[in-house]
Amino acid sequence: MKIVLVGAGNLACSLGRALFEAGNDILQVYSRTCQAASALADALDASPVTEIDRISADADVYIVAVKDSVMADIVPSLCHGKEGKVFLHTSGSVAASVFEGRALHYGVLYPMQTFSKSKPLAFKDIPCFIEGNDELVLETVSKLAHSLSDSVFRLDSEARKHLHLAAVFACNFANHCYEISSEILAKYGIPFEVMLPLIDETARKVHVMRPYEAQTGPAVRYDRNVIGMQAGLLEDNLFFRKVYESMSDSIHRVAQKEIDHRI
């Protein structure tokens, strides 16, 4: 397919390379900055463009991979003069209807993964969630998604918002906990690398058991002595202490709910 990629950030870079390797013709890469557009365009044998009104009308599909906060501003100019083409965005939290009234054929191609430009990923292992407002879009986005991934699911905008919320807990919040851990360790000159075997084993466990079954630590049994002592160690950072206490309370509530359910 002939594709224009709107965006040159972390997701756009990974998605663009995967689309290119799957045999698609990437006509252009748009970014507000020439450096970002050119860097990705060069890798995809495409042309860089920094002005929306200079985006080609010759593509079959226009894939928008930009920040949620700017998507609504880009869509009107992007769709103008190309209303009959297929438009897709890649967001977990923006409804497909962001294109409504601007394009006839629109939908979503949402790869659920954390992306960084410096870390290439095997796209075939990434779950892709698709949506379309008509059969043309569903056929198009399904073909694209299956060329990239072995795991493709249809999901509407409302369900996708909750999927994204779950991903924030599983990825973004977990990563922030790593950062808190890193800061606590740094005060005593302990390298964060000592946590890696623990982190890896925690991740491996949820491949073979439910998360609540894998949960360990003082909060599960609500050991008030340990919890109180550890909370006290965070007196110099009341925000981290609040996170610790809220998380401990949540862990205990989930554990207790599971016990009550079995009874």
Side-chain angles (χ1 to χ4, degrees), residues 49-72:
V49 59
T50 58
E51 298 176 35
I52 288 287
D53 59 5
R54 296 180 70 87
I55 289 179
S56 171
D58 296 332
D60 302 309
V61 183
Y62 296 80
I63 300 179
V64 182
V66 299
K67 293 179 181 178
D68 292 356
S69 58
V70 303
M71 193 178 303

Side-chain angles (χ1 to χ4, degrees), residues 7-174:
N10 291 333
L11 190 158
C13 286
S14 291
L15 178 59
R17 291 189 182 97
L19 289 167
F20 181 69
E21 290 169 3
N24 296 286
D25 183 7
I26 314 299
L27 300 183
Q28 292 176 315
V29 174
Y30 165 84
S31 177
R32 290 176 298 174
T33 64
C34 184
Q35 182 178 2
S38 296
L40 182 54
D42 288 347
L44 305 181
D45 196 22
S47 299
V49 59
T50 58
E51 298 176 35
I52 288 287
D53 59 5
R54 296 180 70 87
I55 289 179
S56 171
D58 296 332
D60 302 309
V61 183
Y62 296 80
I63 300 179
V64 182
V66 299
K67 293 179 181 178
D68 292 356
S69 58
V70 303
M71 193 178 303
D73 296 331
I74 286 177
V75 164
S77 298
L78 173 65
C79 296
H80 181 68
K82 316 176 195 70
E83 290 83 358
K85 301 301 180 72
V86 172
F87 292 85
L88 305 173
H89 74 63
T90 60
S91 171
S93 295
V94 176
S97 59
V98 69
F99 295 110
E100 191 172 0
R102 303 292 183 177
L104 298 175
H105 312 292
Y106 54 84
V108 178
L109 171 59
Y110 171 51
M112 193 187 68
Q113 184 53 277
T114 175
F115 295 98
S116 298
K117 290 182 181 181
S118 60
K119 192 175 185 301
L121 295 173
F123 232 89
K124 68 179 182 65
D125 299 325
I126 298 174
C128 288
F129 298 85
I130 63 173
E131 181 181 2
N133 76 316
D134 60 26
E135 288 303 316
L136 172 63
V137 180
L138 285 172
E139 181 181 350
T140 301
V141 69
S142 179
K143 183 177 179 180
L144 281 175
H146 279 98
S147 75
L148 303 175
S149 172
D150 292 336
S151 300
V152 178
F153 307 89
R154 285 182 61 175
L155 201 67
D156 64 28
S157 291
E158 185 61 26
R160 193 177 66 258
K161 289 178 183 179
H162 288 82
L163 173 72
H164 190 209
L165 172 62
V168 166
F169 274 94
C171 175
N172 306 129
F173 287 0

Side-chain angles (χ1 to χ4, degrees), residues 2 11 20 55 76 97 103 170 187 190 212 221 233 243-244:
K2 295 180 180 179
L11 190 158
F20 181 69
I55 289 179
S97 59
K187 289 175 60 177
I190 305 171
Y212 90 87
R221 56 188 183 274
L233 296 176
V243 171
Y244 175 88

Side-chain angles (χ1 to χ4, degrees), residues 180 183-184 187-188 225-238 240-242 244-245:
I180 293 175
E183 291 188 29
I184 293 170
K187 289 175 60 177
Y188 294 90
N225 291 330
V226 175
I227 292 172
M229 180 271 292
Q230 292 186 337
L233 296 176
L234 295 168
E235 280 296 330
D236 61 336
N237 192 320
L238 296 182
F240 283 0
R241 176 169 179 159
K242 183 178 180 180
Y244 175 88
E245 291 174 337

